[in-house]
């Protein structure tokens, strides 16, 4: 029998039972982009290798180790695209879409990087990318971030946090580079092999290192954010003010430099703690120099790309948790409380059909009932015992949070559950 041919390591089929999840995601995003006035662009999967070397940078992980590069039959050096921004800029210049114009664009499709395959890291993966050309001000940076925030909301994703940094102008960056190199030279004995090499070729990337042994030394390194030029500073302040006004939370991470050379000023990442090491689900920033670097007229630009596989797997994890989670376990102690408790529970179910509440049945001590409450995974135990019944109250015990127990009146129960659910659905 002939040997079975299998798919390439790190490159996956989307099977029929799974494709609906991709389609649902794509439908949400398509609608969202249209609502913000962005138009789709579709680029080829294969480009000249040169394009990526000149944009992403010769001394980056992608170009050094990850690209699928081959010779065409006529001898041209070609690469499967490892990301979309370079192709998008190439297309924009080639078709005269950029000079003196504003373009709001998006694309969606497979990217290729020869990385070590693991959960959340594949050799063919999918990015959804957004690029805005022709706007130099922080308002567009804010818009891009707000699009992401709205997308998480529409998808129902929770607990994704935003990290921000600014890399300053190319002038500030090169001044800072010298300061950083001086500092790193004082700690050569702590640098690993990769970092020693980067110190020579691309010192900013040393900050990007994930090596825990270098963590403390890098935390103490002079931060770029303390050496900013006035213009970058003002832009960054305006971006932060816009995000504050829109109620989008963020933290500043001075070590966020991004793995590609073309970024300047604003950079950002959206990160989750629920996917292990592959926690960055979306990343982007400003790249004002790239259009000119690739032969076009100088055009400001900013964008982001998100990893579709990581988003879908986070959604799956959270939906699974959601499906299993119980909001309330109602403890009832004694006959009178059992009768009153069932009645209260029915009233609450009328008002909150989506509430997941288990009413304890079958009696037993408070200890044994609490044990069942804990096992159910409920966030809150509501207790109705003789004392509570006398005072027309319930005791609230928080099972997963370090919060003191409180009492609420029967009349206040509806309001309490409303607030609890609002908090939970944030
Ligand atoms: P990482 O630090 O995880 O390697 P990156 O900085 O190389 O990410 P970007 O080039 O910024 O990633 O790509 C944008 C997004 O694409 C990432 O945030 C991630 O969600 C996704 N992504 C990148 N590489 C892969 C991969 N090999 N497999 C799956 N998703 C990926
Ligand atoms: Mg990478």
């Amino acid at each position: 029998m002939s040997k079975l041919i299998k798919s390439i390591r790190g490159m996956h089929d989307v099977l029929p039972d799974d494709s609906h999840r991709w389609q649902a995601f794509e439908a949400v995003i398509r609608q969202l982009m249209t609502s913000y006035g962005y138009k789709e662009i579709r680029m080829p999967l294969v480009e000249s290798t040169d394009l990526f070397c000149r944009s992403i940078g010769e001394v980056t992980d992608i170009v050094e180790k990850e690209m699928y590069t081959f010779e065409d039959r006529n001898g041209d050096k070609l690469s499967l695209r490892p990301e979309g921004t370079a192709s998008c800029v190439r297309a924009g210049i080639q078709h005269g879409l950029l000079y003196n114009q504003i373009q709001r664009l998006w694309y969606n499709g497979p990217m290729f990087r020869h990385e070590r395959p693991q959960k959340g890291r594949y050799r063919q993966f999918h990015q959804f990318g957004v690029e805005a050309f022709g706007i130099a001000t922080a308002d567009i940076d804010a818009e891009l971030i707000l699009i992401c925030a709205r997308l998480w909301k529409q998808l129902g994703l929770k607990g994704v946090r935003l990290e921000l940094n600014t890399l300053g102008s190319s002038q500030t960056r090169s001044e800072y580079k010298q300061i950083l190199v001086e500092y790193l030279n004082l700690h050569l004995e702590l640098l690993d092999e990769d970092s020693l090499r980067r110190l020579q070729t691309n010192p900013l990337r040393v900050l990007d290192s994930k090596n825990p042994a270098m963590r403390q030394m890098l935390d103490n390194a002079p931060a770029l954010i303390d050496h900013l030029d006035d213009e970058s500073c003002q832009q960054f302040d305006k971006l932060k003010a816009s995000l504050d006004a829109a109620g989008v939370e963020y933290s500043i991470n001075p070590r966020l430099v991004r793995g590609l050379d073309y970024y300047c000023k604003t950079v950002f990442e959206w990160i989750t703690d629920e996917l292990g090491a592959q926690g960055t689900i979306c990343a982007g920033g400003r790249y004002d120099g790239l259009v000119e670097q690739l032969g076009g007229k100088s055009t400001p630009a900013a964008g982001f790309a998100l990893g579709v596989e990581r988003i879908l797997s986070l959604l799956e994890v959270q939906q699974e948790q959601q499906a299993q989670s119980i909001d309330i376990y109602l403890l009832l102690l004694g006959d009178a409380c059992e009768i009153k408790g069932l009645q209260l529970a029915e009233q609450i179910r009328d008002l909150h059909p989506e509430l997941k509440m288990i009413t304890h049945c079958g009696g037993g001590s408070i200890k044994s009932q609490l044990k069942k409450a804990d096992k159910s995974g409920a966030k809150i135990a509501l207790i109705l015992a003789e004392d509570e019944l006398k005072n027309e109250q319930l005791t609230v015990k928080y099972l997963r949070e370090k919060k003191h127990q409180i009492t609420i009146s029967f009349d206040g129960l509806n309001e309490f559950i409303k607030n609890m659910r609002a908090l939970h659905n944030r």
Side-chain angles (χ1 to χ4, degrees), residues 61-62 66 113 115 121 125 205 210 259-260 310:
D61 283 351
I62 295 180
E66 299 174 356
R113 296 184 194 176
E115 302 198 66
R121 196 174 288 288
F125 63 101
R205 286 297 314 285
K210 291 179 179 123
L260 302 87
R310 290 187 194 178

Side-chain angles (χ1 to χ4, degrees), residues 164-166 176 222-228 233 236 240 252-254:
L164 285 185
N165 193 18
T166 175
Y176 168 73
L224 199 152
I225 215 160
D226 299 327
H227 296 87
L228 278 188
C233 245
F236 199 48
K240 289 187 285 185
I252 309 290
N253 176 0

Side-chain angles (χ1 to χ4, degrees), residues 2 25 28 138-139 151 154 156 163 240 280 299 307 329 336 338 358 364 382 387:
S2 58
F25 170 78
V28 168
D139 39 10
L151 177 63
Q154 291 190 352
E163 290 192 354
K240 289 187 285 185
T280 305
T299 306
Y329 195 99
E338 283 168 11
I358 295 178
L382 286 181
D387 274 355

Side-chain angles (χ1 to χ4, degrees), residues 131-187:
E131 318 286 356
F133 295 97
I135 306 166
T137 42
D139 39 10
I140 193 71
D141 301 6
E143 175 172 291
L144 291 168
I145 290 174
L146 293 175
I147 289 175
C148 296
R150 187 172 292 280
L151 177 63
W152 312 148
K153 209 159 149 194
Q154 291 190 352
L155 292 171
L157 274 186
K158 305 224 172 76
V160 195
R161 62 172 198 278
L162 172 63
E163 290 192 354
L164 285 185
N165 193 18
T166 175
L167 303 179
S169 64
S170 56
Q171 166 86 23
T172 15
R173 235 181 12 261
S174 69
E175 285 164 18
Y176 168 73
K177 237 181 236 174
Q178 283 180 357
I179 299 171
L180 181 66
V181 167
E182 274 171 34
Y183 174 85
L184 294 175
N185 271 322
L186 296 176
H187 298 90

Side-chain angles (χ1 to χ4, degrees), residues 62 66 83 113 115 120-123 125-127 210 258-260 263 269 278 280-283 305-310:
I62 295 180
E66 299 174 356
E83 55 110 48
R113 296 184 194 176
E115 302 198 66
R121 196 174 288 288
Y122 311 103
R123 291 182 173 171
F125 63 101
H126 295 74
Q127 275 186 351
K210 291 179 179 123
R258 308 281 308 112
L260 302 87
Y263 285 108
E269 287 191 355
Q278 271 58 255
T280 305
I281 59 169
C282 174
L306 55 82
V308 180
E309 282 85 354
R310 290 187 194 178

Side-chain angles (χ1 to χ4, degrees), residues 407-425:
T407 52
I408 45 168
S409 65
F410 288 172
D411 291 343
L413 185 56
N414 177 33
E415 196 60 27
F416 172 79
I417 287 175
K418 231 198 281 172
N419 292 338
M420 180 191 93
R421 290 184 59 76
L423 207 68
H424 180 60
N425 288 331

Side-chain angles (χ1 to χ4, degrees), residues 368-410:
S368 77
Q369 293 196 27
L370 268 176
K371 228 182 200 166
K372 292 205 169 76
D374 187 44
K375 214 169 152 201
S376 76
K379 294 174 200 77
I380 284 173
L382 286 181
I383 305 169
L384 181 59
E386 228 171 86
D387 274 355
E388 280 91 354
L389 186 60
K390 219 172 11 195
N391 299 322
E392 306 206 330
Q393 283 180 336
L394 290 154
T395 297
V396 181
K397 198 172 160 64
Y398 293 92
L399 300 175
R400 318 286 153 199
E401 289 166 281
K402 279 209 174 90
K403 267 197 200 167
H404 287 301
Q405 66 179 40
I406 55 169
T407 52
I408 45 168
S409 65
F410 288 172

